[in-house]
Amino acid sequence: MRRPAPLPASADEPGRDRSEDGADTREDAARPTRARRGRNEGSAVAEAPHAPDENSITEVIEPVSGQPTAEEPVADELEEVESADADVRATEVWRAARARRKALRAEIRRFTQRSRRRRIVWWASLGAVAALVLGSVVAAYSPLFAVREITVVGAESVDPTQVQQALQGQIGVPLALVDGAEVKSALTEFPIIETYALEARPPHELLVRIVERTPIGVVKSDAGYSLVDSAGVVLATTPEQPEGQPRLEVSGGIDSAAFRSAGLVMRSLPADLRATVTEVRASSGDDVSFSTSDGKTVIWGGEGDSVRKAEVLVSLIEAAPDARTFDVSSPTVPVAG
């Protein structure tokens, strides 16, 4: 630090030191002045040793008070050195802190490298799946996957071409937007169809799988002969009895228990045996019987155990081919006569 300059000594204390570190006193400071004055005035100074007057004191003080001390440059230099040292230390501390932070970040990156790699792979996989799903949805609902072909499978009694014509309204519709209600409404025109299923086959095929109803016989009415299935659904009506279909003689009509039992019996018979049946009779749910084209009569009884009764009847006919009456109402003790 710079020390303040010492105050000038007063006129009353001519002999007081100017500074504490041994600087020249006022008398010593005045001595060069008297010497100079002696050179100018000759021997007048030596002959007049009396105390100097006020003007001479002023002349002595003025140069002393304006003269810089020796400590001022040293203090300035010390202050500059200390400031430079402080700047150097601050720079070194900042550089060390920066290097430490850099090393710490490098260590963190090294230890988290595996987790970052897993995270990148996970996000990449998720993005790929999302892109695939979004692309599939967009493609499925676009004209790129529109219906151009309708294929009918399972049609036997119904003409597949008629089914395709009934579904022409779905041509040009994207596979994902095929209206099931419209398809159902179109297929109700075919009573023979019991159930159906739609299957989209990209890029342009619509597959229709149908299951037809199984007719069990015809019921005579005022309108003619109605072909019905086991549920009593009328499949067709003709003025004459169709060939290959047995006539149903049941009490109570198609809504009775006798009709329901007769229908279950016909559905449980093997196809080759069912094709030989010419007439089915049922007065109640427990009194079902039928006749075949070769003159055989089968007493069936109720609808219970129909599968087992069918197996026993086939075995009984093979064992006694010349018999005309077969009673399987009790499958454990069948009778052939």
Side-chain angles (χ1 to χ4, degrees):
M1 296 177 59
R2 178 180 297 177
R3 296 183 181 178
L7 295 175
S10 63
D12 296 337
E13 298 177 353
R16 187 174 180 179
D17 294 340
R18 185 167 55 89
S19 62
E20 295 179 357
D21 54 354
D24 295 336
T25 61
R26 184 164 300 175
E27 292 180 356
D28 296 337
R31 197 172 296 162
T33 304
R34 287 197 297 270
R36 288 193 301 271
R37 187 178 299 173
R39 285 195 300 270
N40 295 330
E41 296 180 0
S43 61
V45 176
E47 293 178 356
H50 56 81
D53 57 5
E54 184 176 357
N55 294 330
S56 63
I57 294 174
T58 303
E59 293 177 358
V60 172
I61 293 174
E62 287 179 356
V64 173
S65 60
Q67 185 178 2
T69 62
E71 294 181 355
E72 290 181 358
V74 176
D76 292 341
E77 293 178 0
L78 290 175
E79 183 177 358
E80 293 177 359
V81 171
E82 290 177 356
S83 177
D85 292 342
D87 292 341
V88 171
R89 286 195 298 270
T91 303
E92 292 178 353
V93 170
W94 179 81
R95 289 179 178 175
R98 181 180 179 184
R100 184 173 180 274
R101 289 194 299 269
K102 186 176 181 180
L104 182 59
R105 287 194 296 268
E107 289 296 320
I108 292 175
R109 285 195 299 270
R110 185 169 67 87
F111 281 105
T112 59
Q113 182 178 5
R114 181 175 299 177
S115 61
R116 285 187 288 109
R117 186 182 296 112
R118 287 198 301 266
R119 189 160 52 250
I120 291 173
V121 171
W122 189 84
W123 279 109
S125 302
L126 183 62
V129 172
L132 179 61
V133 171
L134 182 61
S136 300
V137 171
V138 172
Y141 286 89
S142 67
L144 296 175
F145 291 89
V147 178
R148 298 181 184 176
E149 179 183 0
I150 298 177
T151 304
V152 179
V153 177
E156 295 179 1
S157 301
V158 66
D159 188 359
T161 304
Q162 295 179 356
V163 177
Q164 292 173 352
Q165 292 176 354
L167 298 177
Q168 284 298 310
Q170 302 303 318
I171 298 296
V173 178
L175 290 172
L177 297 179
V178 172
D179 192 345
E182 292 184 3
V183 173
K184 181 179 180 180
S185 177
L187 293 182
T188 53
E189 299 178 3
F190 306 93
I192 193 66
I193 298 177
E194 184 175 8
T195 60
Y196 69 92
L198 301 178
E199 182 180 341
R201 289 186 173 182
H204 306 296
E205 183 182 3
L206 177 64
L207 181 66
V208 183
R209 297 182 181 275
I210 63 175
V211 177
E212 295 182 350
R213 297 180 183 275
T214 303
I216 61 172
V218 294
V219 178
K220 191 171 184 326
S221 62
D222 297 337
Y225 292 89
S226 299
L227 183 66
V228 296
D229 68 347
S230 60
V233 177
V234 178
L235 306 180
T237 301
T238 58
E240 297 180 358
Q241 182 176 349
E243 296 182 359
Q245 298 295 335
R247 182 174 178 175
L248 303 177
E249 298 289 343
V250 295
S251 301
I254 60 176
D255 295 329
S256 63
F259 180 84
R260 183 172 61 253
S261 295
L264 291 176
V265 170
M266 291 298 295
R267 289 178 66 91
S268 62
L269 293 177
D272 54 349
L273 180 60
R274 184 171 61 245
T276 63
V277 177
T278 57
E279 184 179 3
V280 180
R281 298 171 295 276
S283 59
S284 65
D286 297 328
D287 185 19
V288 179
S289 62
F290 59 87
S291 301
T292 62
S293 58
D294 56 358
K296 294 182 175 62
T297 301
V298 178
I299 301 173
W300 193 273
E303 62 185 52
D305 264 348
S306 293
V307 176
R308 185 178 180 186
K309 289 178 180 179
E311 295 175 353
V312 171
L313 177 60
V314 171
S315 301
L316 198 61
I317 292 175
E318 291 178 354
D322 296 333
R324 290 290 179 264
T325 304
F326 300 89
D327 187 352
V328 292
S329 58
S330 179
T332 56
V333 286
V335 177

